Amino acid sequence: MLKALFLTMLTLALVKSQDTEETITYTQCTDGYEWDPVRQQCKDIDECDIVQDACKGGMKCVNHYGGYLCLPKTAQIIVNNEQPQQETPAAEGVGAAANAAATSSTGTGGVAATGIAASGVVPGGGVVASAAVEVQTGRNNFVTRRNPADPQRIPTNPSHRIQCATGYEQSEHNVCQDIDECTAGTHNCRADQVCINLRGSFACQCPPGYQKRGEQCVDVDECTIPPYCHQRCVNTPGSFYCQCNPGFQLAANNYTCVDINECDASNQCAQQCYNILGSFICQCNQGYELSSDRLNCEDIDECRTSSYLCQYQCVNEPGKFSCMCPQGYQVVRGRTCQDINECETTNECREDEMCWNYHGGFRCYPRNPCQDPYVLTSENRCVCPVSNAMCRELPQSIVYKYMSIRSDRSVPSDIFQIQATTIYANTINTFRIKSGNENGEFYLRQTSPVSAMLVLVKSLSGPREYIVDLEMLTVNSIGTFRTSSVLRLTIIVGPFSF
């Protein structure tokens, strides 16, 4: 009695402790029963299956509610429908009592055990299962087992009215069957709870996604219990769902986030698209640059970025640029301007003229530049005959030479060398600019007794033509002989510095 009172007080203490806690975290069954998490109720433990050598001495093990019996192998079990005479709570050790009663039968007659009952109780209240068992043995090892709470037994006397345990009712077949309080509406579960029918009772539970806090069911915030979601969790009443960051999408498991290949799904790039984890980047072809929206491409005006891309003129084109040269030049290596030798390509001079090419164009000069009294003795060389009286005061010979230079040439710069072709003994040669240097653009520097160098001392801009007469005076050492010769140099300055 004291033991039963202690168990009752312990049960009340547990219930009170559960009421004060915010969440029920465990379920306990009486001895001989275990909690079934699927059916959410206590179920009988089959000791004959899990206890090794449960019965000794050639006895066989017979499982029943809350315990087991050890009986002779020849014993027969007959279910009786009569009301049990006595019920004993499972907390008092029904399994052990039944086992003791069965194994203590050593004679050939008499009662081995009578009035043994088993019951299971869940913490929420309500009987899970109850059984009243009466076992008798005689000379023929005859065993009778009464289990009035078993809804499957067939009464020996259908007209006999039986008394059912709490939570059961008599059916039309005169057997005790479970009352479904959840369907009948006789439960006392709150509106925010779910009624779970049990054998002989019922239980009130919170719906999935909720937990008991005091007397109320409150929502469980699954998002505070990682790792439910791979990236982002959104809590909802009684449930939750997962979301992904921009650039990701939910996988088929609705939990994992996988990268979206924006370049395949919705390519927004105007030219080149590169997928990266969670995003993408756009790039442009050569000659283009990303616009401010980082999607479109704008042409780069290379001609504005540098003034040294082309030697003459830069022309911008979509995605590239090209170089142009002025008339008389052609583009080489993409950027450089090279003079076109029109004398070799499109010679438009007459037969009595000679073509002279210069930087950026050409000129036609007479093949015989000699003027009276000079006569042509060789190409470009005119000589004044000694026999002609007019030649006494004139240079003995005039040689015609042509040269071209680029515009804006750096100065000072050596541009032309004059040298005596005939050397006389005991003579002295002097050189001077006879004409064509009125503005002082040139200077003649004697480099040896028989040669001199024409130096450009002022920068010249073209297109322009200069005719400079360079004279060489030859005098013998005693001063009895004097002669001169002229080199008429035509200098053509091109229109550009290339």
Side-chain angles (χ1 to χ4, degrees):
M1 183 65 181
L2 290 175
K3 185 178 182 180
L5 180 60
F6 173 75
L7 290 175
T8 303
M9 292 177 66
L10 179 61
T11 302
L12 291 175
L14 288 173
V15 172
K16 184 175 181 182
S17 175
Q18 293 170 0
D19 290 341
T20 58
E21 293 178 357
E22 293 187 353
T23 304
I24 297 177
T25 59
Y26 68 94
T27 303
Q28 184 178 0
C29 299
T30 55
D31 293 337
Y33 292 86
E34 63 181 355
W35 181 253
D36 187 346
V38 178
R39 300 178 60 190
Q40 295 290 299
Q41 65 183 36
C42 294
K43 66 177 181 180
D44 175 56
I45 300 174
D46 188 352
E47 291 85 358
C48 296
D49 184 40
I50 64 174
V51 178
Q52 186 177 5
D53 297 332
C55 296
K56 307 293 184 179
M59 306 290 282
K60 69 177 180 179
C61 181
V62 178
N63 183 65
H64 76 96
Y65 298 106
Y68 66 96
L69 299 174
C70 292
L71 301 176
K73 293 185 177 180
T74 58
Q76 298 180 356
I77 301 175
I78 300 177
V79 178
N80 196 340
N81 294 321
E82 295 182 2
Q83 181 70 19
Q85 296 178 0
Q86 182 181 359
E87 293 184 359
T88 304
E92 295 183 1
V94 176
N99 187 39
T103 56
S104 64
S105 176
T106 59
T108 58
V111 177
T114 180
I116 301 173
S119 63
V121 183
V122 296
V127 177
V128 174
S130 63
V133 179
E134 180 178 334
V135 181
Q136 297 176 347
T137 61
R139 294 180 182 272
N140 297 325
N141 290 329
F142 179 82
V143 180
T144 301
R145 179 183 177 185
R146 291 192 305 171
N147 186 9
D150 187 357
Q152 300 298 327
R153 70 189 160 73
I154 306 299
T156 56
N157 186 5
S159 63
H160 179 71
R161 184 168 185 81
I162 62 176
Q163 181 179 358
C164 297
T166 303
Y168 292 85
E169 62 182 358
Q170 184 178 356
S171 68
E172 58 182 4
H173 299 294
N174 201 26
V175 294
C176 291
Q177 64 181 11
D178 175 56
I179 299 174
D180 189 347
E181 295 84 357
C182 299
T183 304
T186 58
H187 63 85
N188 60 352
C189 297
R190 297 166 53 92
D192 59 349
Q193 294 177 333
V194 177
C195 178
I196 305 297
N197 185 58
L198 305 174
R199 292 184 62 185
S201 184
F202 65 93
C204 298
Q205 293 183 355
C206 294
Y210 291 84
Q211 63 182 355
K212 192 172 183 181
R213 184 171 296 172
E215 295 297 327
Q216 296 181 346
C217 291
V218 295
D219 174 53
V220 175
D221 189 355
E222 294 85 355
C223 297
T224 62
I225 313 174
Y228 274 124
C229 295
H230 187 192
Q231 289 185 350
R232 296 165 56 190
C233 178
V234 180
N235 186 61
T236 59
S239 185
F240 71 98
Y241 63 90
C242 297
Q243 286 184 342
C244 295
N245 298 329
F248 295 86
Q249 63 183 359
L250 275 177
N253 58 10
N254 291 325
Y255 160 76
T256 307
C257 293
V258 295
D259 176 55
I260 298 174
N261 190 339
E262 294 85 355
C263 297
D264 292 339
S266 57
N267 188 358
Q268 303 180 51
C269 297
Q271 292 183 357
Q272 300 180 32
C273 180
Y274 294 91
N275 184 64
I276 59 176
L277 190 63
S279 184
F280 68 99
I281 57 175
C282 296
Q283 288 189 356
C284 299
N285 299 329
Q286 185 176 0
Y288 294 85
E289 61 184 355
L290 278 175
S291 58
S292 57
D293 60 6
R294 313 304 295 173
L295 298 175
N296 295 303
C297 294
E298 298 177 349
D299 175 56
I300 298 175
D301 189 353
E302 295 87 353
C303 299
R304 299 182 60 181
T305 59
S306 175
S307 58
Y308 299 99
L309 293 176
C310 297
Q311 192 175 32
Y312 174 65
Q313 183 178 357
C314 179
V315 179
N316 185 61
E317 298 177 10
K320 60 180 182 178
F321 70 96
S322 61
C323 296
M324 292 183 62
C325 293
Q327 186 177 0
Y329 293 85
Q330 60 185 355
V331 179
V332 293
R333 296 185 295 275
R335 301 186 181 188
T336 307
C337 292
Q338 185 181 64
D339 174 56
I340 298 174
N341 191 342
E342 292 87 355
C343 296
E344 295 179 355
T345 58
T346 58
N347 189 350
E348 299 179 358
C349 298
R350 300 191 308 266
E351 290 186 2
D352 60 341
E353 294 178 331
M354 60 171 290
C355 181
W356 179 260
N357 183 72
Y358 66 92
H359 297 289
F362 69 99
R363 295 284 179 91
C364 293
Y365 295 103
R367 292 186 179 274
N368 183 8
C370 300
Q371 298 179 359
D372 191 49
Y374 288 89
V375 295
L376 183 65
T377 60
S378 62
E379 184 180 2
N380 298 333
R381 182 178 179 83
C382 299
V383 176
C384 192
V386 178
S387 58
N388 192 336
M390 298 177 58
C391 295
R392 294 178 182 177
E393 301 298 329
L394 297 176
Q396 179 186 3
S397 64
I398 300 176
V399 178
Y400 290 85
K401 292 292 183 177
Y402 306 90
M403 69 170 298
S404 60
I405 62 174
R406 295 179 177 87
S407 182
D408 302 322
R409 183 167 177 168
S410 60
V411 292
S413 177
D414 296 343
I415 61 174
F416 191 84
Q417 184 177 11
I418 181 174
Q419 186 171 355
T421 58
T422 303
I423 302 175
Y424 299 98
N426 300 320
T427 58
I428 299 173
N429 298 313
T430 59
F431 299 88
R432 67 169 184 159
I433 300 176
K434 185 176 182 179
S435 64
N437 192 29
E438 289 78 10
N439 296 321
E441 295 94 345
F442 307 99
Y443 168 75
L444 190 61
R445 182 182 76 249
Q446 188 165 348
T447 57
S448 73
V450 293
S451 64
M453 179 66 69
L454 182 65
V455 181
L456 178 68
V457 294
K458 288 185 179 180
S459 180
L460 304 179
S461 297
R464 187 172 178 181
E465 183 181 80
Y466 293 85
I467 300 176
V468 181
D469 284 350
L470 305 178
E471 185 180 32
M472 181 180 70
L473 297 174
T474 303
V475 180
N476 64 356
S477 58
I478 60 177
T480 59
F481 175 78
R482 180 180 183 277
T483 184
S484 69
S485 60
V486 173
L487 189 148
R488 184 161 291 172
L489 179 62
T490 300
I491 302 174
I492 305 173
V493 181
F496 304 100
S497 60
F498 46 83

